[in-house]
């Protein structure tokens, strides 16, 4: 198995792991009588644990190498999935959720570091495809949990079985990972790759993090509020509300498998501008549906088309942010800092949108992600170009994707990665 295949399997396993946790939440609620408030607190504990661990994960990746961090964190996160099955109270589940969140935070950073190393070695984008594989893993995990329960298996049994299976799979896939030591080291094996590393200014790191956060806010708006908007604002039935979320997710998954090819053809700047415009148009249709003087089916159809466009546009934003930063060859702590800011947006979004929806209305709340997507379309190309400037391509052709450096540079990067994997 090559390094790319090994990373792809790790992404699929991470998606499956996340879905198993999410799909088990209704059973946790029923078994422990959680209620909305305690369930929200448990989800907050998971998110806080992840955000606390992400900066530490960057430091560990620089010290240990990304390969070692992923080989340790993936099986550990998988085994931690068995913890919630053993929880006997809401308080215990919250404590376990913090630990699981920390391991998931480390895993997310390790995955991004390794995917960036694969991109640098291949000389072409692969990050968006990796995230598409993550979503397929999520679909498989959710389907396995639902199918197992329909077949009569208990959630506790399914979680423990899933934890053991994923731990074994990630441990096996870990043997195929390419080594990627910290760019800050100065051994002979890493001297070649270090020569191409480019420091990224703190202001640019913040800007990249905010771009990722904007994308996660828009994604959270769809996943948390698309169904609610369809039923409460447009008067659709519950099945249609569920279909709105499903359509968003399906469009996102499909685009992620063509996003790398589009980026190779159009360049990073034009691709992310088109993505921002597409997602903005999608939110425009969603908001238009609420004020249309038309029949219910026309309004619902307008909103469904809007959510599909939103999913298609949002799909590539975060993978492109991570890929562009990874292509600079800088230390892993830069990736972890940007990841922390970006995922923080996903943490804040549900509470922010819910607060505005309660004080004003849901259509008013949805103006927030719409405005953030306009900002992505307007500002993201300049931020990506500034990050790439002086990168491995030496700024010779800034319209190219970040990992499309001239052949002589790609050869040096491949040589450095090969030396590190021996």
């Amino acid at each position: 198995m090559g390094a790319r295949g090994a990373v792809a399997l790790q992404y699929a396993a991470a998606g499956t792991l996340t879905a198993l946790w999410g799909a088990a939440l209704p059973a946790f609620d029923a078994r422990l009588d959680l209620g909305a408030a305690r369930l929200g607190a448990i989800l907050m504990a998971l998110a806080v644990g992840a955000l606390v661990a992400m900066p530490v994960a960057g430091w560990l990746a620089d010290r240990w190498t990304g390969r070692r961090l992923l080989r340790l964190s993936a099986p550990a996160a998988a085994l931690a999935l068995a913890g919630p099955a053993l929880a006997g109270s809401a308080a215990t589940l919250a404590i376990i959720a913090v630990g699981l969140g920390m391991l998931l935070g480390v895993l997310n950073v390790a995955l991004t570091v390794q995917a960036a190393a694969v991109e640098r070695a291949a000389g072409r984008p692969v990050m968006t495809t990796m995230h598409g594989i993550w979503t397929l893993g999520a679909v498989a995990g959710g389907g396995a949990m639902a199918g197992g329960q329909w077949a009569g298996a208990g959630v506790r049994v399914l979680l423990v079985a899933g934890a053991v299976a994923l731990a074994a799979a990630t441990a096996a896939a870990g043997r195929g990972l390419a080594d990627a030591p910290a760019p800050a080291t100065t051994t002979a094996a890493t001297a070649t790759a270090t020569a191409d590393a480019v420091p990224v200014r703190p202001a640019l790191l913040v800007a990249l993090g905010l771009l990722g956060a904007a994308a996660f806010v828009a994604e959270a708006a769809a996943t948390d509020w698309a169904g609610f908007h369809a039923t409460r604002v447009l008067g659709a039935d519950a099945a249609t509300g569920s279909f709105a979320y499903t359509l968003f997710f399906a469009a996102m998954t499909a685009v992620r498998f063509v996003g790398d090819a589009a980026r190779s053809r159009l360049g990073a700047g034009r691709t992310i501008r088109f993505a921002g415009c597409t997602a903005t148009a999608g939110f425009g249709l969603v908001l238009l549906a609420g004020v249309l003087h038309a029949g219910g089916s026309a309004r619902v159809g307008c909103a469904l088309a809007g959510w599909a466009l939103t999913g298609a546009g949002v799909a590539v934003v975060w993978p492109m942010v991570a890929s562009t930063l990874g292509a600079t060859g800088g230390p892993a702590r830069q990736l972890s800092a940007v990841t922390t800011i970006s995922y923080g947006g996903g943490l804040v979004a549900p509470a922010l949108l819910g607060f505005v929806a309660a004080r004003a209305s849901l259509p008013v709340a949805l103006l927030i992600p719409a405005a953030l997507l306009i900002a992505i379309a307007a500002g993201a190309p300049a931020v990506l170009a500034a990050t790439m400037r002086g990168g491995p391509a030496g700024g010779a052709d800034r319209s190219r994707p970040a990992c499309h450096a001239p052949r002589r540079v790609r050869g040096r990067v491949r040589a450095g990665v090969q030396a590190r994997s021996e």
Side-chain angles (χ1 to χ4, degrees):
M1 181 193 306
R4 180 177 177 180
V7 174
L9 285 176
Q10 298 283 7
Y11 266 92
T16 304
L17 189 162
T18 304
L20 288 175
W21 157 261
L25 289 177
F28 295 155
D29 181 29
R31 179 168 63 88
L32 301 176
D33 191 24
L34 297 177
R38 280 186 287 190
L39 182 58
I42 288 167
L43 293 175
M44 180 66 72
L46 182 86
V48 169
L51 291 175
V52 167
M54 283 176 180
V56 179
W59 179 82
L60 289 174
D62 284 334
R63 184 176 178 85
W64 288 354
T65 78
R67 173 178 177 264
R68 183 182 178 189
L69 184 63
L70 184 53
R71 291 186 68 180
L72 292 173
S73 62
L79 289 175
L81 187 64
L86 307 177
S89 66
T92 303
L93 183 57
I95 294 171
I96 292 173
V98 172
L100 178 61
M102 293 178 72
L103 287 169
L104 289 175
V106 174
L107 176 58
N108 276 325
V109 172
L111 283 170
T112 303
V113 170
Q114 281 304 115
V118 169
E119 280 196 332
R120 291 195 299 272
R124 60 189 176 87
V126 300
M127 188 74 73
T128 306
T129 301
M130 293 296 176
H131 282 79
I133 292 171
W134 188 97
T135 58
L136 288 183
V139 171
M145 180 62 74
Q149 291 183 82
W150 286 331
V155 170
R156 288 180 164 183
V157 173
L158 292 171
L159 280 179
V160 172
V164 173
L166 288 174
T170 53
R175 290 194 289 268
L177 296 171
D179 208 354
T185 60
T186 56
T187 62
T190 60
T192 302
T194 306
D196 290 318
V198 177
V200 180
R201 298 191 307 274
L204 270 179
L205 292 177
V206 173
L208 289 167
L210 292 176
L211 287 179
F216 281 123
V217 169
E219 184 176 339
T223 56
D224 294 338
W225 297 102
F228 191 90
H229 180 270
T231 55
R232 294 295 185 92
V233 177
L234 304 180
D237 55 31
T240 302
S242 297
F243 183 64
Y245 166 77
T246 303
L247 193 59
F248 170 87
F249 195 76
M252 172 180 283
T253 303
V255 169
R256 281 183 166 170
F257 282 102
V258 300
D260 289 325
R263 181 181 168 194
S264 295
R265 184 177 183 85
L266 301 176
R270 281 185 290 178
T271 301
I272 202 164
R273 180 181 289 113
F274 182 72
C277 290
T278 300
T280 301
F283 264 103
L285 288 177
V286 171
L287 294 170
L288 177 63
V291 297
L292 274 179
H293 297 291
S297 59
R299 298 171 70 204
V300 170
C302 182
L304 291 177
W307 290 121
L309 284 176
T310 301
V314 169
V316 303
V317 177
W318 166 244
M320 286 187 64
V321 168
S323 174
T324 300
L325 182 57
T328 66
R333 59 182 176 272
Q334 292 184 347
L335 274 171
S336 69
V338 171
T339 301
T340 303
I341 297 171
S342 298
Y343 278 81
L347 172 63
V348 171
L352 173 63
L353 296 178
F355 177 82
V356 176
R359 297 300 186 276
S361 66
L362 181 56
V364 171
L366 293 180
L367 290 172
I368 296 172
L372 292 175
L373 290 171
I374 292 173
I376 289 176
V383 174
L384 296 190
T387 304
M388 290 185 287
R389 191 174 298 122
D397 183 1
R398 296 173 194 169
S399 66
R400 295 182 180 181
C403 54
H404 273 209
R407 290 188 180 182
R408 63 181 182 278
V409 176
R410 295 206 306 265
R412 294 202 305 271
V413 174
R414 288 194 185 99
V417 173
Q418 183 177 3
R420 294 194 295 268
S421 63
E422 292 175 350

